[in-house]
Amino acid sequence: MTRPINREDRSQNACDFIDEQAITAALSGKAPDQAEIDAILAKSLDKQPLNIQEAGRLLTLSNPDQREQIFEAARQLKQRVYGNRIVLFAPLYIGNHCVNDCEYCAFRRSNHEQSRQTLSDEELRTQVGALVDKGHKRLILVYGESPIYDADYIAETTRTTYSVKRGHGEIRRVNINAAPFDHEGYKIIKSAGIGTFQIFHETYHHATYERVHPKGTWKHDYLWRLDGPDRAMESGIDDVGIGALIGLYDWRFDTLGLVAHANHLRDKYNVGPHTISFPRLQPAQNAVWQQPNLVSDEDFKFLIAVLRLAVPYTGLILTARERPALRREVMAFGVSQIDAGSRVEIGGYTIGNEKQEAEREQFELGDIRPLDVVIRELVSDGYLPSFCTACYRLGRTGEHFMEFAIPGFIKRFCTPNALCTLTEYLTDYASPETRAAAAKQIEKEIAGLEGKMKADVEERLKRIQTTDARDLYF
Ligand code: SAM
Ligand code: SF4
């Protein structure tokens, strides 16, 4: 028996907080002058979130010199809040049955060429095992929308994922990307110990939303979906992820939609979204492929920089939908999390095939390089790859995560934890080339630590390298 969802369920004072007129007004008018740009950037560099009027003013800039100023400010802010860490994860597609008919997605019900599959318990263990064997510690489980993927099912697959142990390896944080639930459903899912629950609103533009999510499908209901993260927060899931599918409608509008959504959550619950994703629309099998709103690389990079400035404490996720060169570039001025070694075919982690298989995947990926290669590139570029999962396991989530704002938090917790988890990866999974490439970076990071912390970290790294001790976090 599947658990029905109460589609009348709403968060407290649920309302449609996306004010299209205000967003459109924020994007019209002439470009801001230098004094106005400087004032907005000063506010952001002071780590204060921007409102949609301010973010909108930045988005109207098209002059390359002015845009460069935005990139530079985003670089500085990223460095101040996040340092040079990049958190790594992988997506795991659990099943592609779907009752919706989203025009852009290969899983939509009217795509009869898609081979429909749901991982069995054993297949799920095999896929998780394959990911653990590559060195992953953080996964996002992805589900189509179907009564068969109800809250109990999501909780069960989460528990199964956590239960897979291989040598020194295990998954320590399971995030979820699935359709929105009612309060009861979220509570069941939360009880399995999930990290973030992600729901992408796709496009905040009402008419476009209703067109690409046809009438008669569950996803057609704009408010039900918009209110999804609110219900999740009220159900105790305090790390929620939001996102927009960039390219469905005007990218500036949807960027402001994301800012409005983040600000709404912060105003109402005193904590903003844990992450924002901004997947760019990719070709997908039998999708209704709309060209007019596709976004150029230049504009895409710019929107990431503006988002970085608008929501200083929200993690920004860039997925492997994008090509390696672009991923490498935007790491510097905004992105704090990426997936690596990803496959989006159902069962894709054991097919041992370089080619992507359209009939079992949702869209095409731009970057299917192995995790080891991505890590080598990151350390060679001076980043610190991290598999850290300490915060949510120590209850530093939601409002408490905001302690992030306290100066020194990164030095005290994030860098040491990144070093420990990277050392685990290097000891247990890395190729000799990657190990060698990382050694210099680790040395540099340790040199930046002081006193007791430095000694503690050195002691822990040594223990990881020479004993079975793992999962040593601060
Ligand atoms: N079925 C659930 C839903 O729609 O919310 C969750 C999983 S869905 C597979 C995850 C996300 O993939 C969607 O929210 C959408 O933003 C993204 N997506 C769908 N089709 C895409 C495409 N053609 N290119 C890029 N991203 C796509
Ligand atoms: Fe189904 Fe999600 Fe794809 Fe829409 S985006 S067709 S809901 S899997």
Side-chain angles (χ1 to χ4, degrees), residues 140-151:
I140 180 146
L141 307 186
V142 186
Y143 307 77
E145 178 161 8
S146 162
I148 59 176
Y149 310 135
D150 65 2

Side-chain angles (χ1 to χ4, degrees), residues 292-303:
N293 292 308
L294 292 187
V295 184
S296 70
D297 285 356
E298 280 316 305
D299 287 341
F300 187 59
K301 287 187 261 178
F302 186 59
L303 88 78

Side-chain angles (χ1 to χ4, degrees), residues 104 142-143 177 200 202 219 225 245 282 321 362:
Y104 44 82
V142 186
Y143 307 77
N177 185 316
F200 301 163
E202 321 298 10
K219 199 158 164 179
R225 195 168 179 90
L245 185 49
Q282 307 296 319
R321 289 172 179 86
Q362 193 197 4

Side-chain angles (χ1 to χ4, degrees), residues 26 90 94 113 160 162 172 186 242 247 263-264 297 308 356:
I94 304 293
E113 287 176 66
T160 304
Y162 280 130
R172 299 179 189 150
Y186 284 126
I242 62 171
N263 292 349
H264 159 81
D297 285 356
R308 174 66 300 138
Q356 300 186 55

